[in-house]
Every structure is written in C-alpha cells, then in structure tokens.
Amino acid sequence: MSGGTGSDVTTDIQQLLLSRVHDIPDFPKPGVLFKDLNPLFADAAAFAAVLDHIASRWEGKVDMVGGIEARGFIVGTPLAQRMGVGFLPVRKAGKLPGETISQTYDLEYGTATVEVAKDACRGKRVLLVDDVLATGGTASATAQLLQRAGAEVAGLEFLLEVAFLQGRALLADHEISVVAQA
Ligand SMILES: O=P(O)(O)OC[C@H]1O[C@H](OP(=O)(O)OP(=O)(O)O)[C@H](O)[C@@H]1O
Ligand SMILES: Nc1ncnc2[nH]cnc12
C-alpha cells in the first residue's frame, strides 16, 4: 500500500497483518493506543508472507536495509537476508562502538536519539524499515541521519501506519510504503 490502492493480493496481506495486531490501550502511557505486532512476529507463516511482500516491492532497488532499534531490527534483518543485501543497524544513543553520527527527535511518548556508524552507509541506497509509523519523528530523524552519513534514502517501509497521527507529513520528500493502515 503506497498510494492507497491495492490488488487482491495486497488486500490479503493487509488483512493478514491486521489480524495479527494487538491493540493495547494506555501503553506505555495514558492516551496512547499501542499497536503490538508481536502476534505477527510469533506467526512464522504470516511474518514470512509479509516479508516476501515487502521484498518483492524493493528487490533490486536498494543496497542495504536499515532497521531502527529495536523493533526495526525484527523486521529489517530477515528482510535484508531475503533481499540478499546487508543490514544497517540504526541504534539508540550510546550503543555503537567507534565514530558515530547522531540525531535527536520527539516521540509520541518522549524523546530519543538515533545513531549510525560514521562510514557504514556512505554512497549506498538504503531502504529504511520499521514496524510502526506513528508521528513520523523517528523515521524522519533517521532519514536525515542517513543522508548526513552520505547514504541515499531509497525509500521507507513500515508494517503499520497509525494514519491519524499523520507521520507521512514529515516524510514528504521520500518514497513511503506501508503494508497496512490502522
Ligand atoms: O513515528 P513515531 O512517533 O516516531 O513512532 C514510531 C517509533 O516508535 C516505536 O519505537 P520506540 O521508540 O517505542 O522504540 P522500540 O522500537 O525500542 O520499542 C516504533 O518501533 C517506531 O520506531
Ligand atoms: N501507537 C503506537 N503503537 C506502537 N508503536 C508505536 N510507536 C509510536 N507510537 C506507537
């Protein structure tokens, strides 16, 4: 789902994914409806189908898959393996050894800083992946980070978009795809 239309196959994938999202009210703080994708990750066949769907969309168009700690690692590592490209870990502050570049951003429930190793993605076409697109703060900060690190952000892919938070508005300069919207 990139522009809001979809084939029957896409609809099947959307339904499959949505059937494996657990809504948790007031987590991690009051007023947030947390979208828990652990039921998808726990279902090998459903998760594989979703990963195959994403891989077919980006195959041949990227040199690396970048995943945002922590849930982006769950999605990004198996996706990179499927696509036959390397995985780029985008980590929260203070976790990476060596020289790093960092970017701070606001979250729906706090603030955070992401970091990448200084020379890990220079000149590479990177597909940035995460489980959820909410306010867009994490993804937008990470896209800026990768560009500052010399990468081309070839696109961004999310399993689930929390549409009412309008995170896409922060990512208007990028190609975005989401498997499903909630
Ligand atoms: O669009 P946004 O409003 O920026 O929110 C989306 C981000 O929030 C969640 O991560 P979180 O920061 O909770 O960390 P985690 O992956 O370690 O659970 C999610 O995995 C995204 O990275
Ligand atoms: N509502 C939400 N559900 C799951 N992950 C999130 N990250 C930011 N907002 C979220």
Side-chain angles (χ1 to χ4, degrees), residues 32-35 71 108-109 132 134:
V32 175
L33 180 62
F34 189 82
K35 299 287 180 179
R71 288 178 258 152
E108 197 183 355
Y109 36 74
V132 172

Side-chain angles (χ1 to χ4, degrees), residues 59 63 79-86:
E59 205 89 65
D63 305 310
L79 181 66
Q81 283 288 306
R82 262 177 170 72
M83 294 174 66
V85 299

Side-chain angles (χ1 to χ4, degrees), residues 42-117:
D43 182 331
F47 192 23
V50 169
L51 291 170
D52 286 343
H53 175 75
I54 297 171
S56 69
R57 186 140 61 200
W58 296 100
E59 205 89 65
K61 298 179 184 163
V62 301
D63 305 310
M64 297 186 94
V65 172
I68 307 172
E69 185 176 0
R71 288 178 258 152
F73 291 0
I74 300 170
V75 183
T77 317
L79 181 66
Q81 283 288 306
R82 262 177 170 72
M83 294 174 66
V85 299
F87 177 73
L88 175 72
V90 177
R91 298 217 59 180
K92 300 284 167 62
K95 302 284 187 178
L96 282 171
E99 245 189 293
T100 59
I101 306 178
S102 57
Q103 189 96 23
T104 297
Y105 59 98
D106 291 325
L107 259 183
E108 197 183 355
Y109 36 74
T111 65
T113 299
V114 278
E115 289 184 344
V116 70

